[in-house]
């Protein structure tokens, strides 16, 4: 399956919601500790295991995450470590990009999520402990959600309720928010270590998964969050990112500092469905295609982006 | 002076000027993107500002305000307290013309900051000020890697990387946060130690409290404890020995004379001073420990305190809670890590520490209060001087000595030891201990500032040699650099005004990969002969290496001004305010004047390195090499510059040329290693470093690079040999 080499360390990879062969990759120099960043927009060739780069955008600091617009097929947002977000339009020449620069966060922006239902707004999660709500047509954020006591690493919109989202933080909690409410509506003290990622189940709007430095993934039902629905153990180090399948209710994918990408079925006893150890450094970005069932992508600090079909060996040419 | 530091520069930093690295022409891209999808075009028009500039660029239209329709958006704006929807608010806002807010709002709207065509977005300017070099990258790599191997990262003094304050802040904050993800399995102690090692290697002071961990999630107490036990090993630091020694004599504290006598009887009068000096040497080694040994004083103090706390209480639950307290205090910032020291912000901490270390405490206390600690050497020297003057007059000696309040000190000491505890003076103690530590830091800084003072080797066999200069030149020619250094030192000791001797000494040190001494020697050469062109050039190059632009410009300009041919080009008034552009222009004029002068091209090459225009620098050096093909140091400069502009493979060819001309050019061997490391060929690089070190085991930088390469290939077995500087083992393992 095709591989793409990035000059910097990979941080995040996302499938385009409009084109099945297109992806965006966020990268940062020196593991994101210091240096520049670059966003790559890449395309799978129709024949052969080849990935072409369509365009790339440079930033003055590392890029930690990227999100495609749900309303414009050429627009994407990049989360930059200097606390800013850059909006790029791949249809415009490089000198016209970025079309927006949104700078409000005081610290690194670590996570982004574009609202898939309303399609007009997106969220940013930052190490300044806050989450901010944005639309592309406003120069300033619409709202700031400030309750977490430590870095917020990830945000995820609920797939069904357009105003509901979850945020995962290093304060060991996940908070559920409704943008119509002034404060968070639910606090789930999900782990005893930092929580690095969260995602909603795409078929059951009450199920949320959390991934933590404690190496575990937990599935929660927000109607009864005293005990997790399921606990998935198997990663050897902190779990960095998780994503529910858009195609199968019980399936989710995770990547970890143990350098593997894992596939889980949280409803069965032997939950670990597959383990891919193709990365040679920390695996920090993973995504599942909405348009093609079973198409997966991952990136890591080994500066490689893999795109492969579930069940195949990512490295097989 | 060759340009080794330049080699370490910039391999990875070059961000192409165009924002896209792909060579796809834009037209093709646009065709591919737009032509392939008519849908794209349609969509494009909908994107505000994505189309050509509209006559009235606006952020959004208030008629169909999508923002207003977005629920919850009003919640963030305090003046929106009315439960009206955002759109109502904005309409109302606009209606109220008299309102100053409205004007301001309109003002904002009139500005078209988001229109890419009317006001093109500023080009992406890579704002990384310092060169983010491969060395840095490799070093960060070994930091990240150490999570897997579990091998503690040792601080490695890296060459000057030119990191800006902002860069340092980034490294500090990000590495602290990331370390807690990467090293999740490890104890907090280990994580702190790792981060501290990273920061101290990069000379980043931990003065702004880095983003610590969250409190209340420390479950691996056992690990922590075990870890901290391991950390304790370097704890037996010099002060303790001193104090112990002192306390052996404290019985006599009542009478200063007796005390002095008996002390003298025991140690001999002269012995005291030397012993003191010894202790001082050890004290400075405490200082080195801060940088040279990853544990740093902070770690030692923490763990000692822990050890004490835990030993005081039998109840494991209590132990744990105390322990938790400490850790959470640490994480809440009640204990502040300040400049790699733990500063006790809490009384408890100080008391506990004191109970265990009241002797050291009172010692430090008194020591600081009496200001005896004026810098180890001074004190000892003063003492020694007095000793000489008043030989054999013991009473006078005691009197002199008591002027330094030592008797008070002894009394105080005895009193406190007698009391067993220090009662309420704990915070005082903490303060003065801090003072004492600060003194030490200040002393270190002073020694840094006095860089540029030449340090002679002792036991020089060439002292008394009839013609050490000639001998030195001969040795240098043969490539016996370390020997040449000794001979030349003998020469400049004999004739301190011999500029040529100093210059040659500087060059020898530079080729032997010892920059500090090279700079010191060159500065002496310049003192002796302020207009020596070669010296000025060497100083310009070395300051370029150190990324000190203004100093480099000063010397390079001086070179031009004192040059018999180009002196007229340089107006003397320029010397007051040197700008890079002016100096570069003058040298270009000089190059036009006499294109056959290799030296001008060399200086131009150096200047372009200063402005990081590596392509131009390479061209200049190549021109110079056509004129001077046998100048090995010029080949080395070319290689260094090529390495800087991510042409490590070419750099190796250039270094090879230098080595063909001069096989024992230590610096070029080390540079070869760096270039291989830059290409990820760490195994190769190790062989070259070892070769360089075999020729000059004193090349500290090469040892550090070797260590980085060893950890990059996970040769932890050999890291030990590296740390103990066991060349024999390394040479056997890595023959070239």
């Amino acid at each position: 399956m095709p591989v793409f080499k990035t000059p910097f360390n990979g941080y995040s990879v996302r499938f385009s919601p409009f084109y099945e062969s297109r992806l965006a990759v966020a990268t940062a120099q020196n593991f994101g500790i210091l240096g520049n960043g670059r966003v790559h927009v890449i395309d799978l060739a129709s024949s052969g295991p080849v990935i072409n780069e369509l365009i790339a955008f440079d930033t003055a600091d590392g890029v930690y995450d990227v999100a495609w617009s749900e309303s414009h097929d050429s627009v994407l947002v990049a989360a930059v470590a200097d606390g800013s977000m850059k909006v790029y339009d791949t249809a415009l020449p490089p000198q016209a990009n970025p079309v927006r620069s949104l700078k409000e966060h005081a610290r690194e922006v670590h996570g982004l999520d574009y609202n898939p239902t309303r399609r007009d707004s997106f969220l940013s999660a930052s190490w300044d402990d806050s989450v901010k709500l944005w639309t592309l047509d406003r120069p300033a954020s619409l709202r700031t959600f400030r309750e977490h006591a430590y870095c917020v690493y990830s945000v995820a919109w609920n797939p069904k309720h357009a105003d509901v989202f979850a945020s995962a933080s290093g304060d060991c909690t996940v908070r559920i928010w409704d943008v119509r409410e002034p404060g968070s509506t639910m606090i789930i003290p999900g782990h005893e270590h930092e929580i690095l990622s969260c995602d909603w189940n795409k078929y059951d709007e009450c199920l949320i998964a959390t991934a933590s430095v404690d190496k575990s993934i937990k599935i929660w039902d927000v109607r009864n969050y005293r005990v997790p629905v399921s606990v998935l153990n198997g990663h050897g180090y902190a779990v960095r990112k998780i994503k529910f399948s858009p195609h199968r209710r019980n399936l989710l994918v995770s990547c970890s500092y143990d350098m593997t990408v894992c596939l889980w079925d949280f409803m069965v006893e032997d939950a670990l469905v597959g383990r891919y150890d193709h990365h040679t450094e920390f695996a920090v970005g993973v995504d599942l295609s909405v348009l093609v069932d079973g198409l997966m992508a991952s990136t890591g600090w080994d500066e490689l982006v893999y795109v492969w079909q579930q069940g195949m060996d990512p490295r097989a040419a | 002076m060759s340009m080794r530091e330049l080699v370490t520069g910039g391999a990875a930093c070059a961000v192409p000027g165009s924002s896209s690295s792909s060579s796809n022409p834009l037209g093709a891209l646009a065709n591919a993107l737009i032509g392939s999808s008519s849908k794209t075009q349609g969509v494009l028009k909908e994107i505000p500002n994505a189309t050509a500039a509209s006559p009235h660029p606006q952020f959004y239209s208030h008629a169909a305000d999508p923002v207003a329709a977005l629920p919850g958006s009003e919640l963030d704006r305090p003046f929106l307290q009315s439960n009206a929807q955002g759109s109502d608010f904005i309409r109302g806002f606009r209606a109220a013309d008299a309102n100053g807010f409205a004007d301001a709002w309109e003002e904002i709207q009139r500005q078209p900051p988001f229109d890419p065509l009317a006001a093109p977005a500023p080009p992406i300017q890579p704002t990384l000020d310092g060169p983010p070099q491969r060395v840095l990258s490799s070093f960060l790599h070994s930091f990240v890697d150490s999570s897997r191997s579990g091998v503690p990262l040792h601080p490695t003094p890296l060459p000057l990387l030119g990191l800006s304050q902002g860069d340092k802040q980034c490294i500090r904050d990000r590495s602290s946060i990331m370390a807690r993800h990467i090293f999740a399995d490890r104890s907090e102690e280990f994580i702190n130690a790792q981060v501290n090692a990273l920061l101290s290697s990069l000379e980043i002071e931990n003065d702004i409290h880095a983003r610590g961990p969250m409190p209340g999630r420390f479950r691996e107490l056992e690990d922590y404890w075990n870890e901290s036990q391991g950390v304790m090993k370097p704890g037996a630091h010099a002060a303790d020995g001193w104090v112990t020694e002192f306390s052996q004599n404290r019985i006599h504290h009542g009478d200063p004379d007796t005390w002095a006598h008996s002390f003298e009887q025991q140690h001999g009068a002269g012995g005291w001073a030397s012993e003191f000096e010894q202790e001082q040497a050890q004290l400075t080694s405490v200082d080195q420990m801060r940088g040279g040994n990853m544990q740093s004083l902070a770690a030692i103090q923490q763990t000692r305190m822990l050890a004490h706390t835990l030993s005081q209480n039998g109840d494991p639950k209590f132990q744990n809670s105390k322990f938790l307290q400490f850790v959470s205090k640490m994480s809440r910032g009640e204990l502040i890590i300040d400049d790699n020291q733990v500063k006790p912000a809490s009384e408890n901490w100080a008391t506990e520490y004191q109970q265990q270390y009241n002797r050291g405490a009172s010692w430090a206390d008194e020591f600081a209060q009496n200001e005896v600690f004026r810098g180890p050497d001074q004190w000892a020297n003063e003492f020694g001087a007095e000793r000489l003057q008043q030989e054999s007059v013991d009473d006078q000696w005691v009197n002199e000595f008591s002027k330094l309040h030592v008797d008070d000190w002894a009394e105080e000491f005895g009193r406190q030891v007698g009391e067993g505890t220090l009662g309420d003076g704990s915070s005082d103690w903490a303060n003065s201990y801090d003072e004492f530590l600060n003194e030490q830091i200040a002393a270190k800084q002073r020694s840094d500032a006095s860089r540029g003072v030449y340090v002679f080797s002792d036991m020089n066999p060439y002292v008394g040699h009839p013609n050490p200069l000639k001998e030195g030149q001969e040795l240098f020619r043969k490539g016996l650099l370390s020997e040449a250094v000794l001979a030349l030192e003998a020469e400049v000791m004999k004739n301190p005004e011999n500029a040529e001797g100093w210059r040659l000494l500087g060059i020898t040190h530079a080729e032997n990969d010892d920059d500090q001494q090279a700079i010191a020697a060159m500065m002496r050469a310049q003192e002796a002969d302020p207009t020596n062109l070669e010296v000025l050039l060497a100083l310009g190059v070395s300051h370029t290496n150190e990324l000190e632009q203004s100093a480099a410009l000063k010397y390079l300009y001086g070179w031009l001004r004192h040059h018999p041919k180009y002196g007229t080009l340089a107006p003397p008034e320029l010397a007051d305010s040197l700008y890079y552009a002016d100096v570069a222009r003058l040298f270009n004029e000089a190059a036009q004047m006499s294109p056959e002068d290799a030296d001008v091209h060399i200086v131009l090459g150096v200047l372009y390195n200063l402005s990081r225009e590596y392509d131009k620098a390479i061209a200049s050096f190549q021109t110079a090499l056509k004129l001077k093909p046998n100048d090995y140091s010029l080949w080395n400069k070319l290689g260094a510059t090529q390495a800087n502009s991510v042409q490590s493979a070419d750099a190796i060819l250039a270094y090879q040329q230098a080595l063909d001309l001069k096989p024992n050019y230590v610096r070029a061997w080390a540079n070869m290693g760096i270039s291989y490391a830059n290409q990820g060929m760490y195994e190769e690089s190790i062989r070259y470093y070892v070769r360089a070190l075999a020729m000059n085991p004193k090349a500290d930088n090469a040892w550090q690079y070797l260590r980085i390469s060893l950890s990059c290939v996970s040769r932890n077995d050999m890291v030990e040999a590296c740390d103990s500087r066991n060349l024999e083992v390394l040479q056997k393992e890595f023959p070239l």
Side-chain angles (χ1 to χ4, degrees):
Chain A
M1 298 306 283
V3 180
F4 181 72
K5 172 100 178 105
T6 58
F8 300 155
N9 305 105
Y11 248 86
S12 176
V13 60
R14 299 277 190 125
F15 281 100
S16 159
F18 292 93
Y19 303 100
E20 58 187 51
S21 62
R22 191 164 301 171
L23 299 97
V25 187
T27 66
Q29 204 176 359
N30 291 326
F31 314 106
I33 294 177
L34 182 71
N36 299 308
R38 190 174 289 172
V39 178
H40 301 266
V41 178
I42 56 176
D43 206 70
L44 308 171
S46 49
S47 62
V50 183
I51 296 183
N52 300 312
E53 181 177 88
L54 296 179
I55 193 167
F57 304 106
D58 283 313
T59 57
D61 207 336
V63 186
Y64 286 172
D65 200 6
V66 65
W68 287 97
S69 161
E70 296 280 346
S71 55
H72 301 305
D73 64 346
S74 63
V75 173
L76 62 150
V77 187
V80 187
D82 62 10
S84 72
M85 273 161 284
K86 309 283 179 195
V87 183
Y88 296 103
D89 189 337
T90 59
L92 292 177
Q95 64 267 24
N97 273 305
V99 292
R100 298 275 194 287
S101 181
L102 309 167
K103 174 87 172 78
E104 279 184 25
H105 283 297
R107 306 271 316 257
E108 292 79 355
V109 186
H110 195 261
L112 291 172
D113 199 35
Y114 218 98
N115 192 317
T117 4
R118 293 182 54 96
R119 302 182 171 209
D120 60 352
S121 55
F122 62 97
L123 290 163
S124 61
S126 165
W127 290 3
D128 68 5
D129 307 357
S130 75
V131 173
K132 283 176 185 279
L133 175 67
W134 309 80
T135 64
L136 282 186
D137 37 26
R138 288 270 292 233
S141 65
L142 302 166
R143 251 198 94 175
T144 303
F145 304 89
R146 232 183 262 284
E147 276 183 32
H148 281 295
Y150 197 67
C151 304
V152 190
Y153 294 112
S154 137
V155 272
W157 287 103
N158 188 288
K160 191 153 176 203
H161 303 288
D163 301 315
V164 174
F165 72 92
S167 60
S169 161
D171 68 7
C172 310
T173 68
V174 160
R175 283 169 195 263
I176 315 287
W177 311 75
D178 185 323
V179 293
R180 295 163 297 195
E181 303 288 334
S184 64
T185 51
M186 193 179 293
I187 303 169
I188 306 177
H191 297 257
E192 287 176 357
H193 283 71
E194 294 190 52
I195 304 178
L196 299 182
S197 180
C198 63
D199 196 30
W200 295 92
N201 188 293
K202 309 303 174 212
Y203 292 84
D204 183 341
E205 78 268 23
C206 292
L207 286 183
I208 186 166
T210 56
S212 165
V213 168
D214 70 9
K215 310 169 196 172
S216 75
I217 299 164
K218 291 182 184 177
I219 318 290
W220 308 85
D221 189 321
V222 292
R223 292 164 297 196
N224 176 17
Y225 58 84
R226 302 208 182 282
V227 282
V229 175
S230 174
V231 180
L232 311 176
N233 288 309
H235 275 301
Y237 276 93
V239 186
R240 174 55 183 269
K241 212 165 269 181
I242 39 169
K243 199 94 187 175
F244 269 109
S245 163
H247 298 279
R248 286 155 213 278
R249 180 184 183 274
N250 299 342
L251 203 67
L252 70 153
V253 67
S254 64
C255 63
S256 156
Y257 284 110
D258 69 4
M259 301 180 207
T260 68
V261 171
C262 285
L263 210 58
W264 312 82
D265 183 332
F266 69 89
M267 290 303 279
V268 301
E269 191 147 342
D270 289 330
L272 186 59
V273 176
R275 184 193 289 276
Y276 301 93
D277 63 349
H278 49 292
H279 282 292
T280 55
E281 297 280 346
F282 301 147
V284 293
V286 71
D287 199 20
L288 296 171
S289 170
V290 180
L291 301 175
V292 182
D293 185 4
L295 192 63
M296 314 167 67
S298 71
T299 187
W301 286 5
D302 57 5
E303 302 169 353
L304 293 172
V305 181
Y306 289 90
V307 184
W308 75 100
Q309 192 68 36
Q310 182 193 329
M312 309 277 277
D313 181 353
R315 274 169 300 199
Chain B
M1 192 83 189
S2 61
M3 310 180 70
R4 211 267 327 271
E5 268 65 38
L6 285 172
V7 180
T8 67
C13 72
V15 167
S18 76
S19 63
S20 166
S21 70
S22 94
S23 52
N24 281 357
L26 287 175
L29 177 72
N31 284 342
L33 286 173
I34 299 168
S36 67
S37 160
S38 57
K39 181 188 166 199
T40 315
Q41 280 234 307
V43 170
L44 262 186
K45 294 211 173 77
E46 294 165 21
I47 301 176
N49 309 320
T51 51
S54 64
H56 304 291
Q58 286 192 329
F59 293 131
Y60 57 92
S61 63
H62 54 273
D65 186 0
V67 171
L70 200 72
S73 59
E74 72 278 16
L75 286 169
D76 205 31
R77 322 225 160 244
F79 46 81
L80 267 177
Q81 284 307 332
S82 68
N83 42 14
Q85 286 295 309
S87 55
D88 292 338
F89 160 73
I90 284 162
R91 266 180 233 117
F93 208 30
R94 293 178 165 222
D97 256 6
N99 197 325
F101 275 125
D103 290 341
W105 186 249
E106 290 293 338
E107 190 92 79
I108 293 166
Q109 288 224 318
R110 252 176 269 123
Q111 291 170 359
F114 285 92
D115 188 293
L117 296 176
I124 304 288
Q125 206 45 265
T127 55
L128 199 59
D129 294 318
Q133 294 100 343
R134 266 285 165 182
V135 167
L136 176 63
S137 172
S138 300
F139 185 67
L140 293 175
H141 198 274
S142 61
F143 171 70
V144 167
D145 259 7
S146 62
S147 70
R148 237 168 301 153
S149 55
V151 178
L153 187 73
H154 286 251
T156 312
L158 297 171
L160 286 174
L161 297 170
L163 298 172
S164 72
Q165 273 309 313
D167 293 343
K168 290 181 173 183
Q169 175 93 38
C170 277
I171 295 176
R172 177 171 49 227
D173 292 351
R174 292 178 191 169
S175 58
S176 311
I177 289 175
M178 289 178 189
R180 296 194 157 71
H181 305 165
I182 298 168
F183 304 113
D185 256 15
R186 309 266 156 194
S187 67
E188 190 64 25
E189 181 64 32
F190 181 85
I191 295 173
N192 282 337
Q194 293 288 99
V195 173
N196 278 343
L198 174 80
L199 297 183
S200 72
S201 298
L202 297 170
E203 295 194 340
I204 297 173
E205 289 171 16
N206 223 337
D207 50 354
I208 303 167
H209 187 44
R211 195 87 215 232
M214 277 298 299
R217 53 182 180 78
F218 302 97
R219 293 294 179 270
E220 291 155 305
L221 305 183
E222 208 65 38
D223 287 356
Y224 185 98
W225 171 239
N226 292 338
E227 204 81 43
S228 56
Q229 287 287 313
V231 170
M232 279 191 70
K233 278 170 200 153
H237 68 76
D240 283 344
W242 199 83
V243 168
T244 316
E245 184 120 31
F246 189 87
S247 65
Q248 277 167 11
N249 298 290
R250 85 193 141 82
I251 353 153
H252 305 288
H253 65 79
D255 179 349
D257 282 33
T258 343
W259 175 78
H261 279 302
S262 80
F263 191 90
E264 219 172 326
Q265 272 163 19
Q266 223 170 324
H267 298 271
W272 196 89
S274 67
E275 199 165 298
F276 187 74
E277 256 172 316
Q278 237 177 38
E279 295 296 350
Q280 287 294 354
Q282 276 175 296
L283 270 180
T284 38
S285 81
V286 173
D287 201 17
Q288 282 164 10
M289 201 155 66
R290 282 170 16 82
N293 199 329
M294 80 159 200
Q295 311 311 353
S296 77
L297 284 177
I300 296 162
Q301 290 162 9
Q302 286 165 31
T303 47
R304 283 188 172 177
M305 202 286 295
L306 273 174
H308 176 69
T309 310
L310 291 171
S311 65
Q312 290 293 301
N313 299 284
D315 182 0
K317 256 173 100 179
F318 184 62
Q319 282 183 24
N320 283 353
S321 83
K322 268 280 205 186
F323 177 66
L324 262 181
Q325 231 175 33
F326 168 72
V327 175
S328 61
K329 256 183 216 164
M330 185 89 192
S331 60
R332 284 200 302 272
E334 286 176 39
L335 296 179
I336 313 155
I337 298 183
D338 188 354
D339 198 8
N340 285 347
Q341 315 281 345
V342 167
K343 292 214 168 173
S346 99
E347 204 77 4
N348 278 344
W349 186 86
T351 317
E352 277 162 14
Y353 187 86
Q354 214 160 19
Q355 273 165 10
Q356 201 178 5
Y357 287 98
N358 48 38
R359 290 167 183 181
S362 50
W363 167 76
D365 188 15
E366 285 304 312
F367 206 35
Q369 273 179 18
N370 291 333
E371 295 176 357
V372 176
F373 189 72
R374 279 181 231 151
D377 291 337
Q378 273 178 21
W379 200 88
N381 287 344
E382 212 168 283
F383 185 76
E386 277 166 10
R387 209 44 225 136
L388 284 174
Q389 282 168 8
Q390 295 154 19
E391 215 130 41
S392 81
V393 194
D394 282 336
D395 283 350
Q396 278 182 24
W397 177 82
V398 170
N399 288 342
E400 277 305 313
F401 196 63
S402 57
K403 276 183 195 163
L404 299 169
H405 307 288
V406 172
D407 44 355
D408 294 344
W409 171 28
E411 240 170 60
E412 182 74 4
F413 190 79
R415 187 177 61 75
Q416 288 178 349
V417 169
E419 281 171 19
T421 54
L422 280 175
D424 52 3
S426 53
S427 53
D428 279 348
W429 166 77
N431 288 340
S432 35
Y433 189 61
D434 280 347
E435 264 167 42
F436 163 68
L437 291 172
N438 288 339
E439 263 301 348
Q440 285 209 320
I441 294 157
K444 183 174 184 288
Q445 281 164 351
R446 274 199 297 279
S447 77
D448 284 351
S450 67
R451 207 173 62 143
V453 174
Y454 191 86
V455 183
F456 287 97
S457 348
D458 26 301
M459 307 289 287
N460 190 336
Y462 294 91
V463 172
H465 192 282
N467 192 350
L469 179 63
K470 190 154 180 292
E471 184 71 26
Q473 283 167 328
E474 186 63 17
L475 288 165
F476 177 78
R477 203 179 51 73
K478 285 188 198 149
L480 301 167
L481 297 179
S482 300
E483 283 292 298
V485 164
L486 292 174
L488 291 167
E489 280 184 0
E491 167 65 25
V492 295
M493 276 195 267
K494 207 163 91 179
N495 304 314
E497 297 307 308
N498 184 349
E500 178 60 15
W502 281 112
R503 185 187 74 83
L504 204 52
L505 185 56
I507 288 177
T508 313
H509 275 301
E511 294 195 1
N512 215 9
D513 214 7
D514 189 341
D515 270 315
Q516 211 142 318
Q517 289 281 75
I519 292 172
M522 280 298 178
M523 279 167 73
R524 293 295 296 268
Q526 208 230 347
E527 261 170 47
D529 180 2
T531 61
N532 186 308
L533 296 179
E534 286 173 273
V535 169
L536 288 168
L537 179 56
L539 279 168
V541 171
S542 53
H543 285 285
T544 304
N545 286 344
E546 306 276 306
L547 305 171
E548 294 163 3
Q549 172 155 332
S550 58
L553 285 178
K554 189 179 98 188
Y555 289 115
L556 294 175
Y557 178 76
W559 183 90
L560 195 70
R561 218 156 78 80
H562 296 295
H563 198 285
K565 224 163 41 186
Y566 315 117
T568 48
L569 284 175
E573 68 273 9
L574 202 63
D576 299 330
S577 52
L578 282 173
Y579 291 105
Y580 171 79
D582 293 333
V583 179
R585 180 176 50 78
L586 291 176
F587 273 97
N588 271 311
E589 279 172 27
Q592 278 168 7
M593 215 164 105
S594 50
E596 298 305 308
D597 186 345
D599 286 347
V600 177
H601 295 288
I602 294 174
V603 179
L604 264 175
V606 174
L607 273 171
Y608 287 131
N609 264 295
L610 208 54
S611 59
R612 305 210 176 95
E613 295 170 87
Y614 297 120
D615 289 346
K616 286 187 185 172
I618 290 169
S620 297
F621 286 140
Q622 278 168 342
T623 311
L625 274 169
K626 278 187 197 124
L627 302 163
K628 258 189 175 178
N630 290 325
D631 185 338
Y632 55 86
S633 77
L634 190 45
W635 282 108
N636 185 56
K637 286 187 179 71
L638 174 66
T641 312
Q642 285 170 328
N644 271 340
S645 66
V646 215
Q647 303 171 16
S648 287
D650 292 343
I652 284 173
L653 295 178
Y655 293 139
Q656 193 59 59
Q657 290 278 357
L659 287 173
D660 288 348
L661 290 164
K662 185 165 175 126
N664 35 25
Y665 191 1
V666 174
R667 202 152 198 151
W669 286 107
N671 281 346
M672 282 281 245
I674 293 171
S675 274
Y676 277 114
N678 283 349
Q679 297 175 78
M681 299 157 77
Y682 297 111
E683 286 274 6
E684 292 294 313
S685 74
I686 291 167
R687 294 175 200 283
Y688 282 92
Y689 293 141
V690 171
R691 178 64 174 265
L693 287 165
M695 281 183 266
N696 179 21
K698 286 187 206 156
D700 286 338
N701 289 325
W703 283 109
Q704 287 144 23
Y705 295 133
L706 174 61
R707 198 176 197 290
I708 292 174
S709 276
L710 284 170
S711 55
C712 282
V713 290
S714 303
R715 287 303 298 268
N716 296 322
D717 52 329
M718 284 293 133
V719 168
E720 251 172 64
C722 176
D723 288 345
S724 58
R725 304 210 162 179
N726 190 341
L727 264 175
E728 213 173 301
V729 172
L730 288 164
Q731 274 179 296
K732 217 169 146 192
E733 186 72 19
F734 302 105
L736 188 67

